[in-house]
Amino acid sequence: MNDDLAVTLRRLKSESGRSLRDIERTTRISNSSLSRYLSGQATPSWNVVVALCRVTGHDPRPLRPLWEAADRGRRAPGRPFDAEKPPARPAPRNDLPRDVAAFAARRDEVDALVRLARAGHTVAIDGMGGIGKTALAVHVAHLMTSEFPDCQLYVDLHGFTPGREPVPAPEALLALLRALGVPAGRIPDGLEERAALWRSELAGRRALVVLDNAADADHVRALLPGAGRNTALVTSRNRMVGLDGVEPLSLTPLNASDAAELFRSALGPGTAADPETVAELMRRYGGLPLAIRVAAARLRHRPSWSIADLLDNPAPTDEAGLDKVIDASLARLSGEQRRMFRLLGVFPGTVVGLHAAAALADLDASEARVLLDDLVDANLLEEPGAQRYRFHDLIRERAGQIARCETAAGERNAALDRLTAFYLHCVKAGREVLEPTFERLPPLGYMAKDVPKLDTVARIMAWFDTEAATVLRIVELTAERGQDEATVQFALVIGAFLGRRGEMDPWYRIAAAGVRAAERRADPKELAKVRYFQGVANRFAGRLADAEADFAAVLAIGAELADVSLRLQGLWRLAGIAEDRGDFVRVLELRDAARAVPETDRYSEQLAFARLGGGYALVRMGRAADAAEAAQAVLAMPEADEPMLRITALRLLGHARLVQDDAEAALETFHAMAAVARATGHEANAAAGRGDVAEALSRLGRHAEALDEGEAATTWSVDNGEPHHELYTREAFGRICLAAGDRDRAAHHFRRSLDIAEPRGYRWVAEQARRGLALAACDLPSTDDNPSSAVPT
């Protein structure tokens, strides 16, 4: 209950001996608010409870049940005036990292930052590495969350991150705009245009932005907010002398008193700390907060150590000195702990998962977890999420140096080989669940002792979403290191993940690397397989000529090797290209060639796909009955349980039924197709299914529902920046808008479809878009004799 919480808070305040005014100065919580919380008139947020516990020297965790009970009571239905309360606002975006535990010292700097931020000034915080710039900025941002209620954003610009190029300003603006909810497809490409959109989006908000680790003034200039009640806190090792109108705040090392306060705060209660010994230690550490926290962590988690043990280390007065502080911590590690530390210096990503770290060190997960926890305890490693680990930038730099100095090239390469094999095993295992009929690839030697559980679509896609950046970097390294077999295998399986998310550019890059590796391996069949996937990525990126060349190569190699599977794949995909171009004569030629391949159980799945090829041409030529017959024949095959085959057949059948004026049956078929896509994590086809449903609803006269579904499908294709789906989806949505009587909206989508389709050679859909524009421009009622403009798959 709220009264119980208030009684407890009053007791903590009384035991602390601190006045309300003193607590207000420390916590930045107003006196009036504190009075309401302590009297039980209002329920504080959990962050306020934590702040009050910190300032009174108590552990907040025992108060959590009391606070939850009070919070439930505050929100319980039926309380007086509940009906009069306005609807709850959506939770504001808060991307801030966790506040530093037991933040201490820097009172003058905190006061200055709060004052300047309240006045709407942007502040540039500069100072040497390890001085505490980020900790200060994040701490003040947390203090002021309530004063900037619309959003609190954070971006690491990596201006001084070892081994990484600074994040370009356009890329940082893209991330910030996406954080504000602006779809990627609506964000312009140019720096100035993105900066203008960023300032425009912020103008009406109360927003606080932390721009961390900037390289220099030029790096951050375009990211600064413009007019409006918002502010930015910028951190950099360089002073921002080139930024007009920005308030500078230079951090210097902590003075002796503040350094000692930080040290004692980091040690926590109950640790004996002789003032004179602490003062000498702080002098030697030169007032660097990171060094002080590392030292305190060593004592806090190693009861046998004393403060005197730290006095033998050189004072870290610069970054080289900080290396010595880190080295002092490393000297206390066991051999296995130190080995884990230096092998993590080899890891090519930013955040490493437990199983990846275990593979890197050739350990099982339980062994790796113990070592990783030891490094977290020593403040040499952070754990931002469950079983996810990362270095502080400066410590990562030192870990990389130690890895290069203490680890032989052979051992480093062996660690990377294990990591490559681990990630390749995971994506192959995931592919086998996502697409069970896919040809299994041979293992590549090393098998990790423990791997994540990847047995359902949900688990597989959640794992990939978390690990995607590292997987892509691993593939790049694999290609750079000349590991051609592994590069080819990645190229053969990665599409199962990237294709589901509609991420065509990284898929193409990996497929292209696989093609180059296969060419070096001089295996024609292997080359044909990777060129097939390069062709798929090219087609959905809207590069029809490149895709046609890839599929023609697949067909030619298949003919040369007398490989039925490759011939069928080439014919099917070439028919799709011909459909995109509106060359229906060529489609029928390719379809006849596929139908002439003798039936065989060995290639039944490929044959099924090939015989679906050209189906949309039949629909568009008025031969919907032939298209429906082909789709139904495939759905009757045992192989129709394969998700993509089932999706493809259902989609073709739905559009055939739509043209046959059986919109109810088409709607049912499209719903079934979308359900398969959702169940298999295929976002691209699930979105396409919504567009198909919209077409059927429009035919049934259910225009409001059709507009909602069509808008959702179009938004997905625009946001994902996939030209192939966007041009088809926009043309279809234009017809839906036209049928609903919204001619202006219809014209907009027809125009955008035409702009995308025409320069890429999508002649048929370009012609449909022109026709739609003509209808939208006149007052005549629209006719819907256009059979379908579904996206061929």
Side-chain angles (χ1 to χ4, degrees):
M1 300 296 291
N2 196 36
D3 290 343
D4 296 334
L5 178 63
V7 168
T8 303
L9 293 177
R10 288 199 299 272
R11 177 176 57 79
L12 297 183
K13 184 260 182 189
S14 176
E15 291 175 356
S16 73
R18 304 185 71 166
S19 66
L20 282 181
R21 183 65 62 188
D22 187 23
I23 295 174
E24 178 186 25
R25 283 195 300 269
T26 304
T27 63
R28 301 299 193 284
I29 301 170
S30 69
N31 195 304
S32 59
S33 295
L34 289 170
S35 297
R36 290 198 302 275
Y37 299 150
L38 295 176
S39 65
Q41 297 177 33
T43 302
S45 69
W46 177 243
N47 287 338
V48 169
V49 174
V50 172
L52 292 174
C53 288
R54 285 180 178 174
V55 80
T56 57
H58 290 82
D59 184 353
R61 287 173 292 184
L63 274 67
R64 183 78 187 193
L66 284 178
W67 176 81
E68 289 177 349
D71 190 54
R72 282 195 301 271
R74 177 179 63 82
R75 294 183 288 106
R79 288 176 58 87
F81 310 111
D82 273 359
E84 299 177 12
K85 292 181 180 178
R89 295 179 60 184
R93 179 74 178 236
N94 187 329
D95 291 342
L96 298 175
R98 187 182 63 175
D99 198 1
V100 174
F103 186 91
R106 302 276 189 211
R107 288 187 180 83
D108 291 343
E109 291 89 344
V110 169
D111 290 340
L113 274 178
V114 168
R115 183 181 68 256
L116 291 167
R118 281 178 178 157
H121 294 291
T122 291
V123 185
I125 308 166
D126 65 80
M128 64 184 292
I131 204 69
K133 302 179 292 295
T134 299
L136 174 63
V138 169
H139 178 66
V140 169
H142 277 286
L143 286 178
M144 305 195 72
T145 295
S146 62
E147 300 186 45
F148 296 88
D150 293 325
C151 58
Q152 304 87 43
L153 305 181
Y154 172 91
V155 60
D156 188 347
L157 298 171
H158 292 292
F160 294 90
T161 302
R164 283 198 59 166
E165 290 296 317
V167 176
E171 185 176 328
L173 283 168
L174 175 63
L176 289 166
L177 287 166
R178 291 304 304 270
L180 291 180
V182 181
R186 297 174 187 166
I187 297 173
D189 292 330
L191 172 62
E192 294 301 325
E193 291 81 5
R194 285 187 179 180
L197 179 60
W198 163 241
R199 293 190 295 270
S200 174
E201 287 290 329
L202 284 183
R205 307 176 194 246
R206 285 284 285 162
L208 187 151
V209 186
V210 178
L211 303 171
D212 193 23
N213 200 5
D216 51 34
D218 289 338
H219 191 192
V220 79
R221 184 173 285 106
L223 311 183
L224 299 181
R229 302 175 64 199
N230 42 57
T231 192
L233 304 179
V234 184
T235 75
S236 177
R237 295 188 197 179
N238 287 332
R239 293 184 176 181
M240 300 291 182
V241 293
L243 291 180
D244 295 331
V246 174
E247 296 290 337
L249 179 64
S250 296
L251 297 188
T252 58
L254 298 174
N255 60 38
S257 175
D258 285 347
E261 179 184 355
L262 173 60
F263 184 71
R264 286 190 290 266
S265 176
L267 281 179
T271 303
D274 173 64
E276 292 184 3
T277 308
V278 170
E280 174 63 13
L281 187 64
M282 295 303 99
R283 185 187 68 80
R284 295 198 180 184
Y285 283 172
L288 292 179
L290 178 60
I292 292 168
R293 289 184 179 279
V294 169
R298 290 164 56 208
L299 292 181
R300 189 171 66 246
H301 297 290
R302 301 295 187 274
S304 62
W305 296 5
S306 69
I307 295 176
D309 290 334
L310 303 176
L311 290 174
D312 295 334
N313 298 301
T317 56
D318 54 22
E319 289 188 26
L322 184 56
D323 288 345
K324 295 176 182 178
V325 170
I326 298 171
D327 291 348
S329 292
L330 294 175
R332 295 285 186 170
L333 298 178
S334 69
E336 284 300 305
Q337 291 167 341
R338 187 179 181 91
R339 176 176 178 269
M340 175 61 83
F341 178 86
R342 59 183 170 82
L343 286 178
L344 289 175
V346 177
F347 185 72
T350 300
V351 180
V352 60
L354 171 62
H355 293 95
L360 193 67
D362 196 18
L363 301 171
D364 63 40
S366 60
E367 293 171 324
R369 181 62 188 264
V370 170
L371 297 176
L372 293 166
D373 285 346
D374 288 342
L375 296 177
V376 171
D377 290 344
N379 263 17
L380 292 169
L381 198 64
E382 300 172 355
E383 189 176 6
Q387 299 185 359
R388 305 282 294 167
Y389 304 90
R390 69 182 176 203
F391 281 130
H392 180 282
D393 286 350
L394 296 174
I395 298 178
R396 182 187 297 110
E397 182 178 15
R398 187 59 182 148
Q401 293 170 350
I402 290 172
R404 291 188 293 273
C405 294
E406 297 185 6
T407 310
E411 186 180 355
R412 294 197 304 272
N413 285 329
L416 284 175
D417 288 346
R418 290 193 295 269
L419 198 63
T420 300
F422 164 77
Y423 279 111
L424 184 55
H425 167 81
C426 290
V427 293
K428 286 160 66 175
R431 174 66 183 265
E432 288 171 8
V433 175
L434 295 174
E435 299 176 4
T437 61
F438 178 74
E439 176 187 3
R440 296 197 173 192
L441 300 173
L444 289 184
Y446 176 77
M447 177 59 66
K449 294 179 171 61
D450 281 303
V451 294
K453 193 173 185 179
L454 301 174
D455 57 349
T456 66
V457 171
R459 282 188 177 133
I460 291 164
M461 296 311 297
W463 174 86
F464 183 76
D465 289 342
T466 300
E467 295 280 4
T470 301
V471 171
L472 297 179
R473 179 58 184 145
I474 286 290
V475 178
E476 290 175 358
L477 277 178
T478 301
E480 290 170 9
R481 297 171 67 223
Q483 296 180 310
D484 288 343
E485 184 178 4
T487 302
V488 168
Q489 290 201 9
F490 273 120
L492 291 173
V493 299
I494 203 69
F497 301 89
L498 296 174
R500 277 171 164 73
R501 294 295 187 250
E503 298 180 23
M504 295 300 119
D505 284 342
W507 187 4
Y508 171 77
R509 292 197 302 272
I510 293 172
V515 168
R516 292 190 292 272
E519 287 172 342
R520 287 190 293 270
R521 286 167 58 80
D523 182 334
K525 186 171 183 177
E526 189 175 78
L527 176 60
K529 290 178 179 179
V530 289
R531 283 209 69 172
Y532 172 84
F533 287 110
Q534 180 176 266
V536 174
N538 267 325
R539 184 190 180 202
F540 285 104
R543 297 185 287 264
L544 294 185
D546 292 340
E548 184 175 36
D550 288 323
F551 297 139
V554 172
L555 182 59
I557 294 173
E560 182 182 346
L561 300 178
D563 188 301
V564 174
S565 176
L566 293 176
R567 286 176 57 204
L568 289 171
Q569 288 177 331
L571 290 167
W572 170 45
R573 289 298 186 177
L574 285 170
I577 299 293
E579 280 180 329
D580 293 330
R581 288 178 166 157
D583 188 351
F584 297 156
V585 172
R586 174 65 172 158
V587 171
L588 295 181
E589 291 174 353
L590 292 164
R591 177 179 169 82
D592 289 343
R595 291 164 65 87
V597 174
E599 294 200 23
T600 169
D601 291 340
R602 184 178 178 186
Y603 302 113
S604 56
E605 184 180 320
Q606 292 93 328
L607 189 62
F609 272 116
R611 292 187 175 177
L612 289 174
Y616 291 101
L618 296 176
V619 171
R620 293 165 183 169
M621 295 171 69
R623 294 171 55 184
D626 291 342
E629 181 183 354
Q632 288 168 325
V634 168
L635 289 170
M637 296 172 60
E639 291 77 12
D641 287 339
E642 197 280 327
M644 273 306 303
L645 183 58
R646 190 164 193 83
I647 287 170
T648 306
L650 284 170
R651 196 150 190 232
L652 177 59
L653 178 60
H655 280 282
R657 287 173 169 171
L658 205 58
V659 172
Q660 291 173 317
D661 291 327
D662 193 349
E664 288 286 0
L667 181 62
E668 181 181 350
T669 305
F670 290 143
H671 276 308
M673 169 264 180
V676 176
R678 288 192 300 272
T680 55
H682 210 304
E683 293 180 6
N685 275 309
R690 297 190 74 172
D692 296 336
V693 165
E695 290 206 62
L697 290 170
S698 179
R699 295 291 183 91
L700 291 168
R702 295 159 62 177
H703 297 300
E705 297 171 78
L707 288 171
D708 287 345
E709 290 296 303
E711 179 73 30
T714 304
T715 298
W716 187 93
S717 67
V718 172
D719 289 353
N720 280 62
E722 189 179 319
H724 180 87
H725 278 113
E726 183 179 350
L727 64 92
Y728 278 106
T729 305
R730 280 191 184 274
E731 190 277 329
F733 191 41
R735 288 186 282 108
I736 291 167
C737 294
L738 202 58
D742 192 340
R743 295 181 179 276
D744 290 342
R745 195 175 179 188
H748 167 74
H749 289 289
F750 286 135
R751 170 57 60 191
R752 288 296 299 126
S753 177
L754 181 60
D755 289 345
I756 299 169
E758 193 166 42
R760 290 173 171 83
Y762 287 81
R763 290 190 293 270
W764 187 86
V765 75
E767 182 58 34
Q768 300 310 306
R770 289 192 194 93
R771 178 175 178 271
L773 281 169
L775 288 172
C778 69
D779 293 329
L780 297 174
S782 64
T783 59
D784 205 354
D785 56 357
N786 173 24
S788 173
S789 67
V791 183
T793 55

